[in-house]
């Protein structure tokens, strides 16, 4: 019986990809505007169009760090990058929404 070869479709970048090299994982406590994880986020975002920030393992973010994260996300969005904040816990999600981060990024709740 003949086998019909299926054509593999080209990758569609409009669909989010939340694994592998397009995800940066922030974890534990993030304290202050100069937290090393925020610096790592900025390095990670260089040269990428999609910046997926996994907050599932982030237990706490203080207001100064949250404001710095908002400023970073705002800057990335201004450069035309697509920013997604993945799985923040309820408290972190509420803080980030209160700071207006959802005007510049998508918040994907767990």
């Amino acid at each position: 019986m003949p086998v019909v070869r299926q054509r593999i479709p080209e990758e569609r970048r409009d669909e989010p990809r939340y694994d592998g090299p397009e995800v940066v994982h922030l974890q534990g406590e993030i304290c202050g505007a100069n937290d090393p994880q925020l610096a790592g986020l900025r390095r990670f975002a260089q040269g990428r169009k999609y910046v997926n920030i996994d907050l599932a393992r982030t237990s706490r973010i203080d207001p100064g760090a949250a404001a710095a994260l908002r400023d970073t996300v705002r800057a990335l969005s201004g450069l035309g990058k697509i920013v997604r904040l993945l799985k923040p816990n309820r408290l972190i999600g509420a803080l980030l929404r209160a700071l207006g981060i959802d005007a510049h990024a998508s918040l994907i709740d767990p």
Side-chain angles (χ1 to χ4, degrees):
M1 183 175 253
V3 176
V4 178
R5 295 189 81 185
Q6 292 183 347
R7 185 172 162 227
I8 299 172
E10 293 183 272
E11 182 175 346
R12 294 185 60 196
R13 298 306 296 153
D14 294 334
E15 296 177 9
R17 193 187 315 166
Y18 301 140
D19 278 331
E22 292 190 3
V23 176
V24 61
H25 301 274
L26 304 183
Q27 54 192 333
E29 294 188 12
I30 303 173
C31 300
N34 296 322
D35 189 282
Q37 292 189 79
L38 296 176
L41 167 61
R42 289 187 286 274
R43 283 190 306 275
F44 172 84
Q46 293 176 351
R48 287 184 166 82
K49 178 164 175 69
Y50 296 91
V51 181
N52 297 304
I53 306 165
D54 184 355
L55 298 169
R57 289 183 256 153
T58 304
S59 58
R60 181 180 177 277
I61 182 168
D62 74 19
L69 177 61
R70 179 207 51 214
D71 294 344
T72 299
V73 167
R74 183 185 309 158
L76 295 173
S77 178
L79 293 171
K81 297 179 185 290
I82 308 299
V83 182
R84 298 179 189 101
L85 299 161
L86 309 174
K87 306 175 197 165
N89 67 36
R90 288 184 185 207
L91 187 59
I92 292 173
L95 174 60
L96 295 176
R97 283 184 180 91
L99 291 173
I101 203 168
D102 52 346
H104 307 284
S106 300
L107 274 108
I108 313 296
D109 293 316

